[in-house]
Structures are given as C-alpha cells and as structure tokens.
Amino acid sequence: MLSHRSMYLRSLYLKQFRNYGEQQVEFTAPKTILVGDNAQGKSNLLEAVELLSTLRSHRTSRDRDLVREGSEIAQVAAHLERDLGAADLSLVLRANGRRTVALNSQTLRRHLDFLGTLNVVQFSSLDLTLVRGGPEQRRHWLDALLIQLEPVYAAILQQYNQVLRQRNALLRSQASQAIQEAAPPAPPPLSPAPNELALWDAQLAVAGTRVIRRRSRVLQRLAPLANYWHRAISGSTEELAIHYLPSVATAQDEPEIVQAAFLAKIKDRAIAEQYQHTSLVGPHRDEVEFTINQTSARQYGSQGQQRTLVLALKLAELKLIEDVIGEPPLLLLDDVLAELDLNRLNQLLDAIQERFQTLITTTHLGSFDAQWLSSSQIFSVKAGQLFPT
Ligand code: ATP
Ligand code: MG
C-alpha cells in the first residue's frame, strides 16, 4: 500500500462501457499492470478512469462511442480514498448524450462540482501528437490540465465557447443577409446587426480574457518543471522552453489590458471576419510552442527529442498537480513502454517509484524488470473481461 498522503483508487466498476459488459475491479497494489492483446479493452479501462477525472475523453467527444454497442446506457463508478476522506464517483452515460453524475450517491446538477475529486495524468503513446499535431491538440491538453488544477476553468471555457458559437452564428447570418440584400427585389431590412455584433465582441473579449490569463499562468508554472525533467532525461544537453502564443498577445496580463487588446484586434480583423464569416480572434486560435535549445521541437525535433519532451511534460504535470492539489495524482500509462527506450523508461519508473498510483497497459510483460513486476498487481484483459494472473 502507499505509505504517505495520497489519492488512491480502490475500485472501479464498468457496466456496458465500450466493450465491457459488467466488470468490477479492486486495486490492491500501488501499481496495476493490464496486459493483453490488441483490441481487448486495456485502453478502454484507462479511458473510464480519465472520464471520472475530467468528464472528458481524449479519444472521443461523443458519448455514443462510449456506450457498448447495442446498449443505450453505460455506467462508470469508482471508490476513491483521499486524505480528505473517501468518495464514491458515478457517471452514467447515454447514447443520446445525456449524462448523470453523482458524488457519494448524490446526483449533482452542476457537473462542475464533480470535477477535481479524482486527479489523473494520462500518458499514452499517441501523445507525440502533442508535439507533432495541430494547435488544437495542444489547446486540448492545456485545457484538460487546467480543469484538473482549477475545476472552475471548465465553466469558463464553456462560457467562452458558447459566446463564440453565438458570435459565429451571427457572422454567418449577416453573410446570408448580405446575399439576400444583393438580390432584387430587396427584402424588408432585417434587424440592425452591427450593434448586435458589438455586444458579442464585448462578451467574447471578457470570456476570452479569462481563458487567456489562466492558460498563460499555468504554462508559466509548468515550464520550469518541464525544463527540469527535459534536462535530466537528456543528460543536461538540452533546454526545453514553452512559449504561449495567444491569439491576443499583451505585455501585461491585467484583465482590462487584455480585454482592450482583444477588442482592438477584433477591429483589425473585422473585414477578414466579414469575408470568412467566422471569429478570427480569441483563445480558440491560441498556439503553444515548444522549443529545444531555441529550435522548434515540432518542426525540427528528432523523434527521440520529441519523446523526451512529452515525457518531461507529463512528469511536470504530475508535479504541478501534486503541488497545487496537495496529493499525488493517479498516473495512467497507456502503451508507453513500447515507445520509450530503456533510458527514458528507467527515468520514468524512477520518477514514479512509490509516489503515484499507476495503471499501466502493455501487450507483453517482457519490458518490465523483475522488481516492478513483483510489486505490481497484474490483470490480463480479454474481450472486455479482466482476469487476475
Ligand atoms: P491496443 O493494445 O491495440 O491498444 P486495447 O486493449 O487498448 O488494444 P481498446 O482500445 O481498449 O483496446 O479496445 C478496443 C476494442 O473495444 C475494440 O475491439 C473495439 O471494437 C471495442 N469497442 C470500442 N468501443 C466500443 C463500443 N462502444 N461497444 C463495443 N465495443 C467497443
Ligand atoms: Mg490501447
């Protein structure tokens, strides 16, 4: 058992979730290894834990995908022990997208109140897309981290996205209105839109500024931790820097200053927005840039450097969550062992040691050393069922 203050996932229950029928799992060791062939349900189980943590899956945004084929309703539940006391988490998913979340058997009207109970850091072999993929990958990663550190961020982001959708709808409706007006005979004039747009501009700037300031702050805290690990793994030959490149950049971060810059930039892009009928300014256009020794890791990083970078980011996330929350988060390692060479693997395992409860998936146990295997609980996963080994 873990010896010091910690967050401990004691049990997990899955019902009609992905390829699982009904499955109860008791976690009896700080490390759990899930071993099995491809497509048996290893990643699905980690995904269930991720959902209980953030109410989001990095693999899909449609609940229909999460509910077992042929079923309308799925459940994921867990018993969690924390310093503050135990918690029972339950999430019911429906193919129609409606969700029910409950904490200690109390259904929560505000899903926000569910967040922050279980903290996890997820590291999957696909995470290299964090470096190589498009900016939306990095925004998604950053947002997921922020939700864990500061659950209210989920509401802030939702509000921003709502304003953005409405502003975009207005820009589109103005476009169709312009087409109608150009075509004879002229239809009766529609509502005066410029004022309406100005109202949305103001709301976008206010909501967007909240997002920008939080993203900026978290990256400032994460950057030195990530550089520490990147240096360590690279044998002090490489420096990692993280640059936030917000759509609206300002030298100071007071809300009024960011909002003013936001509105000024909207003004600048007004004509382009009329042509493209979509909002061109705001955190939905933010970018995060990683550089290794002052060179873009995305464009010029070698595979090895990119792997080191992602590993360093994940270790930094663990530390940041531990510092902010006061308890070490769970670590979910999906298929990373095949991706990491021995040096990086050992760096990772050394860093984890006994400090974090860890769930690891693998297709074969060969990559683990004997000491790790002896301190782990091992399940084999076959066609959506777990078997103790
Ligand atoms: P790998 O080693 O390849 O990563 P894995 O064990 O991690 O494999 P998972 O991604 O956990 O595999 O599970 C994939 C399986 O789950 C596939 O067979 C897929 O068809 C099945 N699956 C996914 N969603 C559903 C669903 N909604 N209903 C039924 N089965 C599903
Ligand atoms: Mg998998």
Side-chain angles (χ1 to χ4, degrees):
M1 222 71 341
L2 296 183
S3 50
H4 45 85
R5 77 210 160 74
S6 65
M7 192 172 295
Y8 196 86
L9 183 67
R10 179 68 58 198
S11 65
L12 181 69
Y13 172 78
L14 307 175
K15 192 171 178 188
Q16 310 291 36
F17 177 81
R18 291 282 195 186
N19 67 336
Y20 286 87
E22 189 168 18
Q23 180 71 56
Q24 171 79 22
V25 200
E26 307 291 333
F27 298 101
T28 57
K31 299 185 201 81
T32 304
I33 300 175
L34 301 161
V35 59
D37 292 338
N38 297 131
Q40 300 304 308
K42 303 183 298 292
S43 302
N44 292 345
L45 189 140
L46 297 197
E47 184 181 33
V49 178
E50 180 189 10
L51 275 160
L52 290 179
S53 174
T54 60
L55 292 175
R56 316 204 314 172
S57 160
H58 73 290
R59 297 158 108 201
T60 181
S61 54
R62 300 190 325 155
D63 285 359
R64 178 172 296 282
D65 299 340
L66 301 169
V67 178
R68 195 181 194 193
E69 246 162 55
S71 187
E72 283 300 306
I73 186 160
Q75 189 185 9
V76 180
H79 182 73
L80 181 71
E81 282 163 16
R82 295 191 54 167
D83 283 350
L84 300 168
D88 283 303
L89 301 132
S90 161
L91 168 63
V92 173
L93 301 156
R94 295 177 184 80
N96 68 16
R98 222 164 50 75
R99 289 180 169 187
T100 308
V101 302
L103 193 56
N104 299 322
S105 309
Q106 290 247 295
T107 300
L108 301 177
R109 212 171 46 79
R110 294 193 329 156
H111 292 188
L112 180 59
D113 298 331
F114 188 80
L115 298 171
T117 310
L118 169 61
N119 293 110
V120 307
V121 170
Q122 158 108 24
F123 183 6
S124 92
S125 57
L126 296 175
D127 281 343
L128 286 180
T129 60
L130 202 63
V131 187
R132 295 185 193 155
E136 68 282 356
Q137 308 271 355
R138 287 175 286 284
R139 290 194 294 267
H140 187 273
W141 158 74
L142 192 55
D143 290 340
L145 175 61
L146 267 161
I147 287 171
Q148 298 221 34
L149 294 172
E150 221 181 337
V152 72
Y153 181 78
I156 289 171
L157 193 62
Q158 192 185 17
Q159 197 180 23
Y160 175 76
N161 285 326
Q162 224 159 37
V163 175
L164 180 64
R165 267 196 304 276
Q166 276 163 306
R167 189 174 185 276
N168 283 340
L170 184 65
L171 286 170
R172 273 196 308 275
S173 78
Q174 283 183 339
S176 53
Q177 184 181 331
I179 291 165
Q180 281 176 24
E181 278 168 0
L190 296 170
S191 60
N195 292 338
E196 204 182 336
L197 191 61
L199 288 178
W200 287 116
D201 292 354
Q203 290 201 44
L204 195 74
V206 170
T209 295
R210 290 196 191 110
V211 173
I212 292 169
R213 294 179 72 235
R214 280 171 178 83
R215 285 182 177 173
S216 163
R217 243 185 286 160
V218 77
L219 286 176
Q220 272 171 34
R221 293 191 68 173
L222 195 72
L225 300 172
N227 185 34
Y228 167 86
W229 282 113
H230 194 98
R231 282 179 58 109
I233 302 166
S234 68
S236 299
T237 59
E238 296 177 0
E239 296 282 335
L240 166 65
I242 305 179
H243 304 284
Y244 180 39
L245 307 175
S247 161
V248 178
T250 54
Q252 286 149 312
D253 100 317
E254 280 80 36
E256 302 74 29
I257 293 177
V258 180
Q259 280 171 33
F262 206 123
L263 289 170
K265 187 154 181 193
I266 289 181
K267 222 174 198 167
D268 278 355
R269 306 302 309 273
I271 293 180
E273 284 192 337
Q274 276 168 31
Y275 277 102
Q276 299 184 37
H277 317 305
T278 188
S279 300
L280 299 176
V281 180
H284 64 291
R285 296 249 164 166
D286 282 355
E287 172 62 295
V288 177
E289 184 192 46
F290 303 115
T291 63
I292 296 171
N293 293 341
Q294 273 102 47
T295 306
S296 160
R298 183 182 183 201
Q299 285 177 286
Y300 302 111
S302 70
Q303 286 220 7
Q305 284 178 319
Q306 294 180 349
R307 290 198 172 115
T308 300
L309 194 167
V310 174
L311 180 54
L313 283 180
K314 295 294 155 181
L315 292 168
E317 280 180 55
L318 280 175
K319 177 81 176 106
L320 186 58
I321 292 178
E322 186 178 9
D323 287 352
V324 171
I325 306 295
E327 287 176 80
L330 244 73
L331 179 58
L332 308 177
L333 298 178
D334 196 6
D335 232 14
V336 294
L337 304 181
E339 281 278 318
L340 297 175
D341 58 50
L342 216 56
N343 167 40
R344 291 190 187 88
L345 179 60
N346 285 329
Q347 294 267 1
L348 173 64
L349 299 184
D350 275 357
I352 302 168
Q353 288 184 11
E354 298 293 302
R355 285 167 58 216
F356 304 96
Q357 185 183 5
T358 307
L359 309 187
I360 311 174
T361 73
T362 184
T363 47
H364 42 268
L365 295 172
S367 6
F368 295 92
D369 69 35
Q371 196 201 330
W372 251 73
L373 288 177
S374 67
S375 66
S376 299
Q377 179 187 18
I378 304 173
F379 290 108
S380 86
V381 186
K382 284 199 191 84
Q385 277 192 287
L386 261 53
F387 301 93
T389 62

